[in-house]
Amino acid sequence: MAVDLRRTRPLWATAAAVLAVAALSACGSAGAADPIAAPATSSAAAVAPTAAAPPPIKGKLRGYGTVRQLSETADLVVRGEVEAAGFRVDEVLRAATGSSVRNGERITLASLDGGVPDMAHMSKLETGQVVVLYLAQDPAASAFRTLSGDFGVFDVTGSGDDAVAASRSQAMAVSGLLAEDPAASGHGFRTTLGQLRAVAAQVK
């Protein structure tokens, strides 16, 4: 039986048009954003935290466990008397290479950085005090600072090698000459001027 092609052409055209509309509809729904997921993504992006630099942490003073550590670190170890205009050096126990400080000279003592939290607990050197000081030289000036505040201060009572040398602070003090003593930590430290001299002499 022969088919009249003239009568079937309209049917093929109609079918093709329907298929084209269906395909376009499918593409449109596939490309559209999920109405529920889209706001969630946008909201998450809006509340994402901004990475901010942490605030600067103020430095704290270094602690020392032994007299040897103090002696090794110090630019200058001296015994003398605090004066109104500075510090009179009666004896240089140790001077780092390049130091020109000699017995009988006067040196300038500078205070520690007031921004360091530990400074609130430090004592002050006052006129007339006889002490052994473990000092660091200020590279920007011809002045010296005690190592970690009270750690670098020993009050001296008496004379000669048997003179008593006591740490200025109970808490901020070493606990031994050459080795730390955990049992003595936080209780201050007492020795003799002779012992401080001997340890200082061992450090090259």
Side-chain angles (χ1 to χ4, degrees), residues 100-120:
S100 60
V101 177
R102 299 290 182 265
N103 293 351
E105 293 186 18
R106 284 170 174 78
I107 59 176
T108 301
L109 299 179
S111 60
L112 291 171
D113 182 2
V116 178
D118 290 338
M119 277 301 297

Side-chain angles (χ1 to χ4, degrees), residues 72-160:
E72 291 173 338
T73 307
D75 293 318
L76 188 65
V77 183
V78 292
R79 175 185 60 83
E81 184 175 335
V82 181
E83 298 182 333
F87 184 80
R88 187 189 72 230
V89 176
D90 293 331
E91 177 185 2
V92 175
L93 279 69
R94 177 180 181 271
T97 303
S99 175
S100 60
V101 177
R102 299 290 182 265
N103 293 351
E105 293 186 18
R106 284 170 174 78
I107 59 176
T108 301
L109 299 179
S111 60
L112 291 171
D113 182 2
V116 178
D118 290 338
M119 277 301 297
H121 308 289
M122 296 299 169
S123 64
K124 292 184 178 180
L125 292 173
E126 298 180 354
T127 302
Q129 293 177 339
V130 177
V131 290
V132 168
L133 301 179
Y134 292 79
L135 302 168
Q137 185 164 13
D138 185 342
S142 57
F144 294 86
R145 291 183 172 86
T146 58
L147 289 180
S148 293
D150 284 351
F151 273 101
V153 182
F154 284 78
D155 292 301
V156 177
T157 305
S159 60

Side-chain angles (χ1 to χ4, degrees), residues 8-24:
T8 59
R9 274 192 198 126
L11 293 174
W12 284 109
T14 302
V18 170
L19 289 173
V21 170
L24 288 172

Side-chain angles (χ1 to χ4, degrees), residues 27-56:
C27 290
S29 62
D34 185 348
I36 296 176
T41 303
S42 175
S43 173
V47 298
T50 302

